[in-house]
Amino acid sequence: MITARDLQISKLKAGSSPKLGTIGYLAIFIWSVVTVMVTPARLLPWAAALCLLAAALIYPRSFQRLLRWRWLLMIILLALPSVFFVGALDRSMAGIRYSSEGLTTAVQIVARILVVLVSVEGFTSSVDISSVGGLLERVGLRGLGFSIGVALNLLPTLQQSALNAWRSLWMRGGLRKKRWRGLRLLIMTILSNALGRAEEIALAAEARAYTPERSRALPVKVGRWDRMVVVLCATGLVVAVLTPFI
Amino acid sequence: MKHTTRELATLAVFGALWGVVEISLGSVLKTLNIPFSGVVLSSIGLTIALVGRVFVPKKGSTLFIGVIATLLKLFSIGGVIIGPMVGILTEALVAEIVLSISGKPKQSTHILAGALGVAWVLLQPFVTGPLLFGRTVFVVWLDLIDQGARYLGLNAAAAVWILVIFLVVYLVIGALVGWLAWGIARQLQIRQGRSLTVA
């Protein structure tokens, strides 16, 4: 079952500097991802190294998760085909022919994947979901903070409710005959329960005089270094975007 | 984009449902590396989002549901893979654009939104592969052809046919998703004694 522990709801974990707030972390995340996306291939190793160095300084723990077999396998699966299918097979190792051009491409792919994974992992482990909700509320998605809060609290209930409906259908042989109808009824039951929950939540919120127009957006954590980090990241982004034209 | 409390709660519930599917079923399917898991997930997700749109027939509500599901996926344990997040958000965006153009909820636009949303699953690797992971379009194309040759039993030389067959299959699945969502929404509204927003 999905519990509150499965979702990183509220945190300021060790390894994340209290000097940085949500905007600072977001700026670093955007800078890292966009930089590896737009940097030309010849400069990519340098750009990736810079991004990984920044990640190591700001959220060193983000590297730990990447050491899992799952991620390593994914990286290999994404990078390996290039070694054999991109460019001419001009080199050989242990009797296996491979392409030097493909190998270069594979190294670039690995660099990009590493940066993207570390950036996402670092960002999500340093910032809490309500801060991101608050940030999005400020850019036009009004009421998102309320909805995120409701969604977070509902996750375990909805999952349990869906599981109960599935088990009931399964145990009563609902999928033995007329499977399509059974599945349709399953979806109907799950959605019907969910709508019932929505009704209850809306009533409870209205009873507490909640209105989206009058509510304040969720607070966004502000760090002392945020402005400086935003300026640095913006400068870095401009440099990364302009580099191909120089 | 202004919503009432009731609408926000409804959108939250539909977003949470999509999130539950992505977090639980999505993680299992991706870990087991089951083929076409993207189609399964996007079909279920879009069904939820399209039903949600009928209950909150306002511009931006489908995207809103998608944003909630994306955030839940982003902050879930083991949710580091950026592909599904981009997928959820883009599918919601595609459906939102189609539904917003037509204005009032209609069965035909639901079918089109579902079809295009699921078809995005086929096109997504061509966008995220080169942009995020630096894979060349050629390698992504080879992967697709290889997959087609394996599952359709066609010769890899018939690359265009593989692509066309895949595209048609995805569009048909998506159209079914739209049609199913429309029917479910209608039945739900009848069951709950709500005024019908779907004709």
Side-chain angles (χ1 to χ4, degrees):
Chain A
M1 185 197 286
I2 300 164
T3 60
R5 284 179 65 193
D6 294 330
L7 287 157
Q8 298 157 29
I9 298 169
S10 172
K11 82 211 66 153
L12 199 62
K13 285 181 179 173
S16 59
S17 166
K19 288 161 189 162
L20 280 174
T22 307
I23 294 171
Y25 282 118
L26 185 66
I28 293 165
F29 169 69
I30 293 171
W31 166 72
S32 302
V33 175
V34 176
T35 298
V36 290
M37 276 165 59
V38 298
T39 305
R42 64 192 162 87
L43 295 173
L44 189 64
W46 295 104
L50 189 65
C51 293
L52 292 174
L53 182 69
L57 290 172
I58 298 158
Y59 20 72
R61 285 190 171 196
S62 57
F63 288 86
Q64 283 178 359
R65 253 210 214 168
L66 294 179
L67 297 174
R68 287 181 185 175
W69 282 109
R70 185 181 165 190
W71 304 126
L72 292 174
L73 189 70
M74 189 195 86
I75 292 169
I76 291 167
L77 282 175
L78 282 170
L80 201 60
S82 306
V83 179
F84 303 105
F85 295 115
V86 174
L89 300 175
D90 53 354
R91 300 267 174 93
S92 150
M93 194 172 74
I96 301 168
R97 290 174 64 77
Y98 68 93
S99 151
S100 55
E101 189 190 338
L103 186 67
T104 313
T105 311
V107 171
Q108 288 164 9
I109 291 171
V110 171
R112 280 189 170 147
I113 295 172
L114 280 178
V115 171
V116 170
L117 288 179
V118 167
S119 304
V120 176
E121 171 63 23
F123 176 67
T124 54
S125 62
S126 311
V127 175
D128 56 79
I129 193 167
S130 55
S131 281
V132 178
L135 207 61
L136 288 171
E137 267 193 303
R138 284 169 176 80
V139 294
L141 287 171
R142 193 140 186 86
L144 186 71
F146 170 76
S147 296
I148 285 286
V150 171
L152 275 174
N153 286 310
L154 270 180
L155 271 180
T157 321
L158 284 178
Q159 197 191 20
Q160 193 55 51
S161 157
L163 268 176
N164 289 346
W166 168 254
R167 282 179 188 145
S168 305
L169 186 78
W170 184 260
M171 283 190 293
R172 290 173 189 180
L175 294 174
R176 241 178 258 160
K177 284 180 184 177
K178 296 182 182 173
R179 286 184 186 175
W180 178 247
R181 187 173 171 271
L183 282 175
R184 206 180 153 108
L185 284 174
L186 174 74
I187 300 171
M188 293 272 293
T189 312
I190 294 169
L191 290 178
S192 198
N193 288 340
L195 281 168
R197 295 271 171 200
E199 188 75 20
E200 286 169 16
I201 292 160
L203 283 173
E206 280 169 358
R208 287 168 178 79
Y210 172 84
T211 54
E213 295 83 28
R214 287 185 187 177
S215 71
R216 276 186 293 174
L218 285 172
V220 174
K221 281 184 188 130
V222 180
R224 276 180 287 152
W225 291 3
D226 276 2
R227 282 186 188 173
M228 192 182 72
V229 167
V230 168
V231 171
L232 279 175
C233 288
T235 315
L237 269 182
V238 171
V239 171
V241 170
L242 291 178
T243 305
F245 305 105
I246 296 169
Chain B
M1 198 182 338
K2 281 183 181 175
H3 292 110
T4 62
T5 310
R6 197 161 294 252
E7 287 169 347
L8 284 176
T10 309
L11 293 175
V13 165
F14 282 102
L17 269 176
W18 194 350
V20 165
V21 172
E22 287 288 342
I23 293 168
S24 52
L25 186 65
S27 300
V28 173
L29 291 178
K30 293 284 175 195
T31 309
L32 296 176
N33 208 11
I34 290 172
F36 303 109
S37 54
V39 183
V40 175
L41 290 170
S42 72
S43 299
I44 300 173
L46 278 169
T47 306
I48 294 166
L50 292 175
V51 173
R53 177 61 174 236
V54 173
F55 280 86
V56 186
K58 277 187 181 175
K59 277 187 183 176
S61 49
T62 315
L63 185 63
F64 204 95
I65 292 171
V67 170
I68 294 169
T70 307
L71 285 177
L72 293 177
K73 179 75 181 169
L74 178 66
F75 285 88
S76 68
I77 296 286
V80 175
I81 296 178
I82 206 162
M85 282 152 36
V86 176
I88 297 168
L89 207 57
T90 326
E91 284 154 21
L93 188 66
V94 168
E96 178 62 52
I97 291 168
V98 174
L99 295 168
S100 295
I101 289 169
S102 72
K104 213 180 165 188
K106 285 182 205 158
Q107 189 176 29
S108 55
T109 47
H110 265 62
I111 290 171
L112 186 63
L116 293 180
V118 175
W120 170 256
V121 178
L122 186 68
L123 303 176
Q124 189 181 316
F126 290 96
V127 179
T128 53
L131 269 180
L132 289 173
F133 305 127
R135 303 179 86 202
T136 57
V137 174
F138 178 65
V139 172
V140 180
W141 171 255
L142 280 179
D143 275 354
L144 181 74
I145 300 306
D146 179 51
Q147 207 181 17
R150 264 186 291 141
Y151 295 113
L152 300 173
L154 289 173
N155 192 321
V160 178
W161 279 110
I162 290 172
L163 182 70
V164 170
I165 291 171
F166 267 142
L167 193 62
V168 170
V169 169
Y170 280 40
L171 283 170
V172 169
I173 293 171
L176 279 173
V177 163
W179 174 76
L180 179 70
W182 183 263
I184 288 172
R186 189 181 157 80
Q187 278 186 317
L188 272 174
Q189 286 192 323
I190 293 167
R191 258 194 197 191
Q192 300 212 324
R194 296 188 185 208
S195 57
L196 289 176
T197 52
V198 296

